[in-house]
Amino acid sequence: MTLDEFRRYWMRVGTTHKQSQEVSRIYERPLTGSKGVGRLAVQFLASQVRIETTAEGADSRLIVDVDWDQAVQHELLTQAEAVYRESRGAGTYAADAPHGFRIKLTGLQQEWGEDELRSLAKEVWALRPPFAMVGEGAWGDDATNFHVNLETPDPELLEAFEEQSTALLEQWIARIEGRVHNGRQTNRQHVTITFADGSVARDSFRIDNCRIHNAQWEIRVFKLSGRLSDDVRVQEARDYLGQFGGVHVYDGAFRLPYYGIEQDWLGIEFDHSHRRVRSRLLPPEYHAERALNDLPTQGRILGVVKVNTNLEQRHSPQQERRRGDHLKIQVSRDRLVSNQAYEQLVSAVRSSIDYYAVESKRRRLEMTRRERPSGTSRESAERVRDVLSAHASAMPHEVYKDIEAKVGEFLDTSRREQAYRDALAAMLGPLATAGMSALAVEHETRRELSVLEGLADRLTSLPHQDEDAAEVASEIREWISRFRALRRVFEPMMNEEDREAIRPLRVLPVIRQVRSALEPFLDGIEFQIAIPRDHRLPAGTYAEWAGLFQNATTNALNAMVGRRRCIIKVSGGCGPGRKHWVRVSDTGSGIDLERAEQFFEPFRREGMIEAQRQAMGLGGQGLGLTIVRMIAEARGCRVGFVPPDDGFATTFELSWTGSNEQQG
């Protein structure tokens, strides 16, 4: 910065030179900022500011000092002073350059400990693209790129953050790479999808009347469940992407702050909330059944879109340039102007994500087809019987009869199992539809509750409100609080990791979370837990085990309706023969153990359930124990009713055989 620029621009608030100049004089980077007041924010960091700057080719250094403690004492901003002087010798700046700019803050307004430095490192790190992309000369050579180097008194802290961030970025399950090169001539975009297993899908799509010269993007898709490599914790990855995820836009190498996780500029969350299953951007031949079910949410992606508005202006025809109908940065310098070129960029980036969703869906369907058995066990046994009959004369008669009898027994068992599976399939179809509908309603309810809260706030803020309005607003908020507590029952199904991650969970946290989810229904009921701290369930998903114990506990709740003494006790342990168990006991109406097995059959129930609880969905349809058994058997467990301990009427037991290590 020259002395003249310091006087004309830095010392004046609200200059307009950035709108007319647009780019820097050497590297032609877009000028940032718009209102000229950003320098005033420094006072919240420190009381003294020193600026040292040398313009390219100058042989002297400009030094400026601002004392904010003195400046804020003046009534008017125009009365505040900055003391400056010129010093001979150019000095040195970043990368030992003889010209540049340096700001030094002293008299800091707060202590900078480890947490503050870690937060600063994250913010500064996010200013640059999180990963490098191979360009085609669209953004100049490396000398013009924007780099950030952070030095701290604790280099290990920065190194740990860098390593963790780098490790996270390598957890991707798919990488979407797209580009438009010389778009006004080619009218095409090119997309490459690379999956973690090394398989690649690539294609190109037409952009009619393309207004983009060059654009390039890379978007990484993450699966935030199960166990991640490089000691990256799933929750840390979620937190990081929750703050820095989404798709960001860089003009040259400078990030435009508007874009990212907080802005749904690509319409991803909109399509999720509207349950769209078909892309509106891809040609019809690219559609797969319910392909957008594989569309990742913003919290599962991290992307970079790079353009250069200066080059876009240069390569646009004169008529387009006069209309400003090219990729152009807004006056506020925080986003691109919404014009036809911008809409084409949005469509190009979003269609590449849709293309990923289609390919991901096709891969999963193909994998399902490959893994599906070519025939039933019954058909296989029939083939064994045919081969056996063909070779009957080559073996002793008794041996043949013995093998044939065993094959016949297997066929009889297969027929019964197939009949059982057919019955379950007929039952699970409506259940699955009802479950998906319930989750959809739950998702929409979340938004409607926010609207209701807003209405309550408006009632409270009425300028001439009466006592009735305030009372109604209070009742609405109380109802919202109660309803949100009820919605916790759905929590196991709302989290992808809880639905999909298979691991040996500890029993105690699962039971505690089930108790928390059912808290609205436990009024007047004593809930006891006696579970060893390290007692673990067989490998399964949280959604499975939570669903099992919610059903078992709901049965206990319904059995105690109208009882004076209401106690539920969940206990666990390990017995002889490596038998592990978890039991749910209650002081309800009891059950005839000789007939207990029939209650695991579909639509069998004992007694009537209170109408209010049926309306809440707390059982009563005769399916809970059927579902419980299905979950248990899928994980190698047994379920049943066992004689209760003294003081209890009924005890449900989940048991399995495992090592003593499961109990710690």
Side-chain angles (χ1 to χ4, degrees):
M1 183 168 59
T2 65
L3 177 59
D4 182 60
E5 289 171 328
F6 167 71
R7 287 171 172 163
R8 293 173 57 193
Y9 304 143
W10 198 89
M11 284 298 294
R12 293 180 60 188
V13 175
T15 60
T16 60
H17 74 285
K18 293 178 181 177
Q19 284 87 330
S20 58
Q21 186 176 333
E22 291 191 343
V23 296
S24 62
R25 59 175 177 266
I26 299 175
Y27 292 129
E28 297 183 335
R29 299 189 183 111
L31 295 178
T32 62
S34 60
K35 302 176 182 63
V37 296
R39 73 208 70 180
L40 305 182
V42 177
Q43 62 181 299
F44 298 106
L45 291 175
S47 57
Q48 282 84 39
V49 181
R50 166 164 285 196
I51 294 173
E52 299 177 14
T53 180
T54 303
E56 187 176 27
D59 58 1
S60 63
R61 183 171 37 141
L62 176 64
I63 301 174
V64 182
D65 289 297
V66 179
D67 188 332
W68 279 108
D69 287 341
Q70 293 183 3
V72 296
Q73 295 178 14
H74 296 284
E75 293 184 2
L76 299 176
L77 181 61
T78 54
Q79 296 174 344
E81 296 180 348
V83 179
Y84 70 90
R85 60 187 172 89
E86 288 188 283
S87 174
R88 298 192 62 81
T92 57
Y93 297 89
D96 295 326
H99 53 85
F101 194 95
R102 178 184 295 111
I103 301 177
K104 183 177 181 180
L105 307 179
T106 56
L108 300 180
Q109 303 288 10
Q110 67 182 86
E111 294 291 331
W112 284 79
E114 181 177 338
D115 291 341
E116 289 78 12
L117 287 173
R118 189 181 298 275
S119 178
L120 175 63
K122 290 182 178 180
E123 295 291 343
V124 171
W125 188 85
L127 290 175
R128 62 185 182 182
F131 36 78
M133 297 189 295
V134 180
E136 297 188 14
W139 298 279
D141 56 32
D142 289 339
T144 67
N145 283 343
F146 181 67
H147 298 278
V148 176
N149 297 319
L150 182 63
E151 298 177 3
T152 77
D154 186 359
E156 293 183 359
L157 183 151
L158 180 60
E159 182 180 355
F161 174 77
E162 290 273 8
E163 289 179 354
Q164 191 73 359
S165 301
T166 302
L168 167 63
L169 295 178
E170 295 307 317
Q171 305 295 321
W172 53 270
I173 59 170
R175 188 173 64 213
I176 306 167
E177 297 172 281
R179 64 183 176 89
V180 175
H181 184 61
N182 202 13
R184 284 183 173 81
Q185 278 68 47
T186 64
N187 288 303
R188 299 199 75 79
Q189 71 178 90
H190 303 273
V191 181
T192 300
I193 312 293
T194 305
F195 292 93
D197 62 4
S199 59
V200 176
R202 55 171 55 92
D203 215 321
S204 64
F205 305 97
R206 181 171 177 79
I207 304 176
D208 292 327
N209 192 23
C210 185
R211 302 293 178 90
I212 303 171
H213 175 60
N214 281 355
Q216 184 180 6
W217 58 94
E218 179 177 332
I219 301 168
R220 299 189 182 185
V221 184
F222 302 86
K223 182 180 180 182
L224 303 180
S225 62
R227 183 176 179 83
L228 304 180
S229 60
D230 297 323
D231 295 324
V232 177
R233 295 171 56 189
V234 170
Q235 191 57 51
E236 289 179 352
R238 285 179 178 167
D239 292 343
Y240 182 89
L241 291 175
Q243 184 176 2
F244 299 109
V247 180
H248 304 262
V249 177
Y250 288 77
D251 187 5
F254 190 83
R255 181 169 66 92
L256 301 181
Y258 173 80
Y259 304 96
I261 188 99
E262 295 181 355
Q263 298 296 333
D264 188 28
W265 66 284
L266 293 170
I268 293 173
E269 300 305 327
F270 180 87
D271 281 358
H272 271 291
S273 65
H274 286 73
R275 307 289 188 272
R276 296 197 189 280
V277 297
R278 183 183 179 93
S279 173
R280 294 171 294 175
L281 299 172
L282 295 176
E285 61 268 24
Y286 288 85
H287 292 304
E289 183 182 359
R290 305 188 71 82
L292 290 196
N293 284 352
D294 279 30
L295 184 71
T297 61
Q298 290 217 97
R300 286 184 49 225
I301 59 177
L302 179 60
V304 172
V305 178
K306 292 184 71 175
V307 297
N308 188 313
T309 55
N310 185 45
L311 288 176
E312 292 297 312
Q313 180 178 357
R314 286 187 197 172
H315 288 85
S316 63
Q318 189 173 3
Q319 187 177 4
E320 284 185 18
R321 198 179 309 172
R322 283 199 304 268
R323 294 197 308 262
D325 200 8
H326 54 82
L327 289 179
K328 182 179 180 181
I329 195 170
Q330 288 192 4
V331 173
S332 61
R333 309 291 171 184
D334 67 339
R335 71 189 80 175
L336 298 171
V337 172
S338 181
N339 54 23
Q340 185 176 353
Y342 173 72
E343 294 302 324
Q344 288 178 345
L345 178 68
V346 172
S347 296
V349 176
R350 172 56 198 272
S351 64
S352 69
I353 302 176
D354 288 4
Y355 180 49
Y356 155 77
V358 170
E359 289 301 313
S360 175
K361 184 71 171 182
R362 284 177 176 169
R363 281 165 53 90
R364 293 201 297 118
L365 291 174
E366 181 61 30
M367 187 176 299
T368 300
R369 283 192 290 267
R370 288 200 305 265
E371 293 178 351
R372 183 179 298 164
S374 58
T376 66
S377 57
R378 179 180 173 183
E379 291 171 345
S380 298
E382 292 283 7
R383 288 194 293 270
V384 170
R385 172 178 276 179
D386 292 341
V387 172
L388 183 65
S389 298
H391 297 279
S393 60
M395 62 181 69
H397 182 69
E398 284 111 5
V399 173
Y400 169 76
K401 284 294 184 183
D402 191 24
I403 296 176
E404 185 185 40
K406 296 299 181 185
V407 172
E409 291 177 9
F410 179 78
L411 281 170
D412 289 340
T413 302
S414 296
R415 291 189 189 99
R416 289 194 298 272
E417 285 185 351
Q418 186 62 47
Y420 178 68
R421 284 195 295 269
D422 291 343
L424 287 181
M427 178 188 71
L428 287 177
L431 280 179
T433 302
M436 292 303 296
S437 300
L439 291 180
V441 170
E442 199 280 340
H443 187 278
E444 295 302 319
T445 300
R446 186 186 318 167
R447 183 176 58 187
E448 297 303 323
L449 287 177
S450 299
V451 173
L452 197 57
E453 279 182 322
L455 293 175
D457 291 339
R458 288 175 59 187
L459 277 175
T460 305
S461 61
L462 288 174
H464 303 292
Q465 65 164 296
D466 54 24
E467 293 183 2
D468 289 341
E471 185 177 349
V472 169
S474 177
E475 290 178 358
I476 290 175
R477 291 195 182 95
E478 289 178 4
W479 181 87
I480 291 173
S481 178
R482 292 195 302 271
F483 192 76
R484 283 206 165 110
L486 291 172
R487 289 171 62 242
R488 286 204 296 267
V489 174
F490 288 96
E491 283 183 355
M493 290 303 298
M494 300 309 296
N495 186 300
E496 183 179 7
E497 181 183 6
D498 291 340
R499 295 194 306 267
E500 298 182 4
I502 299 175
R503 54 194 185 277
L505 296 167
R506 289 197 300 126
V507 183
L508 186 58
V510 174
I511 298 302
R512 285 174 173 168
Q513 291 174 23
V514 168
R515 179 179 63 183
S516 175
L518 295 175
E519 190 71 36
F521 312 110
L522 296 178
D523 187 32
I525 296 175
E526 182 181 345
F527 198 109
Q528 303 175 357
I529 300 178
I531 303 287
R533 181 175 180 80
D534 293 323
H535 197 198
R536 292 184 180 273
L537 293 159
T541 68
Y542 172 74
E544 288 175 316
W545 294 126
L548 184 150
F549 288 117
Q550 278 188 10
N551 272 298
T553 306
T554 297
N555 279 346
L557 285 170
N558 291 330
M560 293 188 297
V561 173
R563 299 277 164 174
R564 292 183 179 179
R565 181 172 175 267
C566 297
I567 302 174
I568 294 176
K569 181 179 180 179
V570 183
S571 56
C574 180
R578 300 190 304 162
K579 176 185 175 181
H580 295 258
W581 47 266
V582 178
R583 295 170 184 155
V584 180
S585 302
D586 65 74
T587 56
S589 55
I591 192 170
D592 183 355
L593 291 179
E594 293 184 0
R595 297 191 305 118
E597 187 65 20
Q598 71 183 22
F599 296 112
F600 289 95
E601 298 175 7
F603 307 109
R604 295 297 296 268
R605 56 181 180 264
E606 182 87 350
M608 297 300 294
I609 305 301
E610 190 181 50
Q612 182 181 6
R613 289 201 164 168
Q614 279 194 349
M616 292 179 178
L618 275 185
Q621 285 74 41
L623 292 173
L625 290 178
T626 304
I627 296 171
V628 162
R629 172 160 283 179
M630 289 169 56
I631 296 172
E633 290 181 347
R635 296 303 175 190
C637 299
R638 297 171 297 280
V639 291
F641 289 95
V642 298
D645 293 336
D646 291 342
F648 291 93
T650 308
T651 295
F652 162 86
E653 181 184 80
L654 169 77
S655 62
W656 66 95
T657 301
S659 66
N660 290 331
E661 294 177 356
Q662 281 189 286
Q663 193 175 5

